[in-house]
Amino acid sequence: MSYVQLPTPPAEPLVILGTVGSRERTAGLDGLPPLVLGGAQFNYQYNDDPYKLPAKDIIRHCFEAGVCAIDTSAYYGPSEILIGKALADPEIAASYSRDTYYLITKAGRIAETEFDFSPTWMRHSVERSLKRLHTDYLDIVYAHDVEFVALEDTLPGIAELFKMKEEGIIRNVGISGYPVPVLVTLCRLVRARLGKTIDVVLSYSNFTIQNRRLKNSLEDFYAAGVKKVLNGSPLSMSLLRSQPPHAFHPASPDLKRRVALAANHTASKNVELADLSMRYALRNWQGTTVVGYSSLFEVNAGIKAYWESQNKDITAADEELLHDVHEILGPGLDEVWSSGLKQNYEYTI
């Protein structure tokens, strides 16, 4: 990302963001901070050698800034292991007790094309995550990327997550994935078949400067009994920046071309598209956003973006560029890509 190195954020604004404190002062999900540290960066998909990343320093810096929540997955290579090692480090463990931060993970996705939402596997995955993260409970566990299997086949695994919630191993049960309509359908299906309501939904790349579908569907989630909807990847997995996106990115060639044109335009105004995109997402999403960082450099940039998103003067300047970007995106505005099984898009309840 083309970010400028920043000084340590001033103490006063961090009070607004929230400082790490006793979870006894929060009410479950209502205590989630506006930013969550995404653990996908501690994975080979985003970094050639995640073991070389300064995981402990990144986590400590986030905690100091009030970003007191970490989202990871059993699918993210060594992510859980690296995060667990950092949290168990005496320096962090002595300063931040378990009740001062949220630990969030996912289960059910094993490999790129391998999924298992059976009760046996889901319990095994959660128990393994507990060991890796050195904890006896998890604040949220998502059934991971549910669109890739028939929706009804996810129900046994989700039912097992609710059972573990009753046992106190999990505090909240969630589902995660990309296609918003499929996630809404599954929430309704869980309510109809299991008599339960999904606590949390996480979708990625669906509320950005390029795609606003997640926000437009919030009422559908709430009507299905969902308590919280989290927005992941406000830079759409590296799409919304001046550099080319990662090779794995599924966006269409035309959308990538239009984003590149938008990035060139914002650069001509001395604004990095990633900065504009981050501020847009943080400013307009009323809730929690999951953002991954690979360095202290990026942590500082993310914290700066949060505070700049609250600045009226910067907001006014951004609005002018936002209009230009949306015009350049043209038919690419709100464009999505296919993800998962076609039958899940057609499922009705």
Side-chain angles (χ1 to χ4, degrees):
M1 300 181 196
S2 299
Y3 288 126
V4 176
Q5 180 65 54
L6 307 171
T8 301
E12 293 78 13
L14 290 181
V15 175
I16 304 173
L17 177 61
T19 54
V20 175
S22 173
R23 286 277 306 281
E24 293 178 358
R25 290 182 293 168
T26 69
L29 293 172
D30 290 335
L32 280 170
L35 293 175
V36 169
L37 170 61
Q41 299 292 334
F42 304 123
N43 187 9
Y44 292 102
Q45 191 173 32
Y46 285 95
N47 287 283
D48 292 337
D49 188 353
Y51 285 93
K52 290 184 178 179
L53 297 179
K56 186 182 81 170
D57 291 337
I58 289 171
I59 290 172
R60 183 181 62 236
H61 200 56
C62 283
F63 282 5
E64 289 172 351
V67 182
C68 53
I70 305 172
D71 173 279
T72 183
S73 172
Y75 170 64
Y76 296 160
S79 179
E80 288 186 330
I81 295 170
L82 293 173
I83 291 168
K85 181 180 179 181
L87 292 173
D89 184 278
E91 184 180 348
I92 290 184
S95 300
Y96 303 101
S97 61
R98 176 64 182 88
D99 64 351
T100 62
Y101 56 85
Y102 292 82
L103 275 179
I104 304 164
T105 194
K106 309 176 187 75
R109 184 163 196 173
I110 300 171
E112 184 176 358
T113 59
E114 185 180 0
F115 297 82
D116 189 343
F117 291 99
S118 68
T120 300
W121 178 261
M122 294 295 275
R123 182 171 288 271
H124 164 75
S125 184
V126 169
E127 290 176 347
R128 183 181 58 183
S129 295
L130 290 169
K131 292 177 181 177
R132 288 174 170 177
L133 294 166
H134 303 286
T135 184
D136 57 4
Y137 72 94
L138 294 159
D139 294 282
I140 303 171
V141 175
Y142 297 106
H144 194 184
D145 288 346
V146 291
E147 70 265 30
F148 289 95
V149 300
L151 293 185
E152 295 200 7
D153 291 344
T154 68
L155 295 180
I158 293 172
E160 190 68 14
L161 293 181
F162 278 111
K163 185 177 179 181
M164 286 185 276
K165 179 181 178 180
E166 293 172 358
E167 297 168 6
I169 300 171
I170 296 172
R171 298 289 171 86
N172 296 279
V173 174
I175 61 172
S176 71
Y178 175 68
V180 173
V182 173
L183 295 175
V184 170
T185 298
L186 183 54
C187 289
R188 293 169 176 164
L189 184 62
V190 168
R191 193 174 206 177
R193 297 290 180 83
L194 301 182
K196 304 283 188 179
T197 54
I198 292 294
D199 297 307
V200 194
V201 171
L202 169 65
S203 187
Y204 61 92
S205 302
N206 273 309
F207 186 72
T208 70
I209 201 170
Q210 176 267 324
N211 176 11
R212 304 156 297 182
R213 290 173 182 256
L214 187 59
K215 189 172 184 178
N216 294 338
S217 299
L218 284 177
E219 292 306 315
D220 294 329
F221 285 114
Y222 296 146
V226 175
K227 299 181 181 70
K228 291 281 184 179
V229 180
L230 275 58
N231 181 38
S233 195
L235 299 185
S236 191
M237 301 188 297
S238 77
L239 176 65
L240 301 170
R241 61 181 189 177
S242 57
Q243 299 95 328
H246 290 295
F248 67 79
H249 203 286
S252 68
D254 184 63
L255 178 55
K256 291 177 182 177
R257 180 185 64 83
R258 290 177 181 276
V259 169
L261 291 174
N264 288 339
H265 177 71
T266 62
S268 73
K269 307 293 184 181
N270 295 317
V271 176
E272 160 62 36
L273 178 62
D275 294 336
L276 179 68
S277 300
M278 185 66 74
R279 290 195 297 268
Y280 172 85
L282 296 176
R283 179 183 300 123
N284 292 285
W285 183 255
Q286 301 301 313
T288 295
T289 300
V290 182
V291 186
Y293 305 115
S294 297
S295 66
L296 297 183
F297 181 86
E298 292 181 4
V299 175
N300 280 334
I303 300 300
K304 181 191 179 190
Y306 178 82
W307 293 115
E308 287 184 341
S309 74
Q310 315 300 311
N311 183 292
K312 292 182 179 179
D313 292 335
I314 294 175
T315 296
D318 282 356
E319 287 300 317
E320 295 182 17
L321 263 184
L322 175 64
H323 178 268
D324 295 345
V325 167
H326 283 173
E327 281 204 338
I328 294 169
L329 289 175
L333 185 62
D334 293 325
E335 179 181 317
V336 295
W337 50 85
S338 178
S339 179
L341 302 182
K342 181 180 179 181
Q343 68 191 60
N344 289 337
Y345 290 80
E346 301 169 347
Y347 192 100
T348 57
I349 181 170

